Amino acid sequence: MVRENEIRKGEVAVEMPPTMDAGLMFIGRIHTPWTSRLETPRQGRADGPLCHIEVFEPWVAALDSLDQFERIEVLYWLHLSRRDLVMQSPANDGTSRGTCSLRSPARPNPIGTAIAKLVSIEGSIVTVRGLDCLHGTPLLDLKPDRELFKPVAPPQPGDFQVGDP
Amino acid sequence: MVRENEIRKGEVAVEMPPTMDAGLMFIGRIHTPWTSRLETPRQGRADGPLCHIEVFEPWVAALDSLDQFERIEVLYWLHLSRRDLVMQSPANDGTSRGTCSLRSPARPNPIGTAIAKLVSIEGSIVTVRGLDCLHGTPLLDLKPDRELFKPVAPPQPGDFQVGDP
């Protein structure tokens, strides 16, 4: 049974270029009910179980004022995923599609993004619903849902620019 | 005038931890009309100008089947942003808020996410509307808008799991 990192029929891997164009730091860790990739949801749901996002120092101060948003965008690092697939066969049925046409965790830069429902923020712990990642997933960022956020900074010329003639 | 990387009144910077927890590679480059951070939109708009996302090899094959989605999620690296601010004053008026409560480009891991309207894919060039980044911004990933994507892989137990009792 082909379920985790093996290559399936129809999948195409490339030789990986170096991954040193930029460096990430993990600013926290996500606690979820799922400890196996064979159990995690394919997609989070707004009525899903509570998940706890632990934010590490020195970043806890950055949570200030996040509690005014009902939904937040969570960026995380899919640390167990292979990065070299350009074609994938998610159904493992011999058909395959380009990696960019999927939301599979296997991607050249395995960054997951989710819109989660904010439940509470207590100290360094942000509690949400709607995630679909493994327990222990490294956190990259938290920001307001783009649909709820209005820029605080003054507008710039590009804000008023519409499509090409 | 405080406009680019200077610290403003009310802002708080921390000593930066190392950024070596994971490494990124740039899989392309984004061509937009904006060459100065003082011109770029604060937020993209669906009727904004055409922008061209150039995808580098060996990742062009990964674009297969992306053209079936009307909107795509674009992840990019905000390469000019400072990363050490925990409190920011976007209006530069002495008031400040936590970095996570803003969609400012200055963040510990400066990853931008946008939902863009897909116009066309020709070879290695993906043309979209709705971006708000500088010309030359490095590309990290492209994936279908989560609202348009249905998983191809079979469901897993977590997909059916709802909130805590």
Side-chain angles (χ1 to χ4, degrees):
Chain A
M1 188 166 150
V2 179
R3 289 305 307 268
E4 292 197 330
N5 282 340
E6 307 85 342
I7 293 212
R8 302 165 180 153
K9 185 159 180 284
E11 294 194 330
V12 178
V14 296
E15 191 173 338
M16 273 290 288
T19 57
M20 300 175 306
D21 290 326
L24 296 173
M25 69 194 138
F26 299 157
I27 67 162
R29 186 130 339 237
I30 306 178
H31 302 252
T32 77
W34 306 292
T35 55
S36 156
R37 275 185 286 175
L38 309 185
E39 300 285 327
T40 55
R42 300 296 185 187
Q43 284 189 315
R45 44 193 296 169
D47 62 352
L50 293 174
C51 297
H52 304 284
I53 303 171
E54 174 193 2
V55 175
F56 301 153
E57 289 296 355
W59 306 110
V60 177
L63 297 176
D64 171 78
S65 302
L66 180 61
D67 61 1
Q68 70 188 275
F69 297 98
E70 203 180 316
R71 295 186 308 273
I72 61 176
E73 187 171 359
V74 183
L75 275 67
Y76 44 96
W77 185 248
L78 298 154
H79 58 303
L80 297 182
S81 300
R82 56 186 300 161
R83 303 175 65 169
D84 60 348
L85 296 180
V86 289
M87 297 289 289
Q88 296 184 47
S89 181
N92 198 11
D93 60 358
T95 68
S96 59
R97 282 167 47 173
T99 291
C100 290
S101 80
L102 297 166
R103 291 185 64 92
S104 157
R107 28 204 343 115
N109 293 300
I111 298 166
T113 69
I115 302 294
K117 202 172 157 184
L118 180 59
V119 175
S120 67
I121 302 179
E122 291 174 49
S124 61
I125 306 295
V126 180
T127 300
V128 300
R129 295 185 194 275
L131 295 183
D132 55 12
C133 60
L134 269 181
H135 182 68
T137 295
L139 178 69
L140 297 177
D141 203 359
L142 297 173
K143 39 187 155 185
D145 179 345
R146 67 174 61 73
E147 291 177 10
L148 302 177
F149 183 72
K150 292 271 168 291
V152 183
Q156 300 206 128
D159 285 304
F160 306 101
Q161 203 169 334
V162 294
D164 306 74
Chain B
M1 191 165 147
V2 178
R3 290 305 306 269
E4 292 196 331
N5 282 340
E6 307 85 342
I7 292 210
R8 302 164 180 155
K9 186 159 180 286
E11 294 193 332
V12 178
V14 296
E15 192 173 338
M16 272 291 287
T19 58
M20 299 176 306
D21 290 325
L24 296 172
M25 67 194 139
F26 299 157
I27 67 162
R29 190 139 324 248
I30 305 178
H31 302 253
T32 77
W34 306 293
T35 54
S36 156
R37 276 184 286 174
L38 309 185
E39 299 285 328
T40 54
R42 299 296 185 188
Q43 283 189 316
R45 43 193 297 169
D47 61 352
L50 293 174
C51 297
H52 304 284
I53 303 171
E54 174 192 2
V55 175
F56 301 151
E57 289 295 358
W59 306 110
V60 177
L63 297 176
D64 171 78
S65 303
L66 181 61
D67 60 0
Q68 71 188 274
F69 297 98
E70 202 180 316
R71 295 186 309 273
I72 61 176
E73 187 171 0
V74 183
L75 275 68
Y76 45 95
W77 184 249
L78 299 154
H79 58 303
L80 298 182
S81 300
R82 55 186 302 160
R83 304 176 64 170
D84 60 349
L85 297 180
V86 289
M87 296 289 289
Q88 297 185 46
S89 180
N92 198 11
D93 60 358
T95 68
S96 59
R97 283 166 49 173
T99 292
C100 291
S101 81
L102 297 166
R103 292 184 65 91
S104 156
R107 28 204 344 112
N109 293 300
I111 298 167
T113 68
I115 301 295
K117 202 172 158 183
L118 180 59
V119 175
S120 67
I121 302 179
E122 292 174 48
S124 61
I125 306 294
V126 179
T127 300
V128 300
R129 295 185 194 275
L131 295 183
D132 55 11
C133 59
L134 269 181
H135 181 68
T137 296
L139 178 69
L140 297 177
D141 204 357
L142 297 173
K143 41 187 155 185
D145 179 344
R146 67 174 60 74
E147 291 178 10
L148 302 177
F149 182 72
K150 292 271 167 289
V152 183
Q156 300 205 128
D159 284 305
F160 306 101
Q161 204 169 332
V162 294
D164 305 74

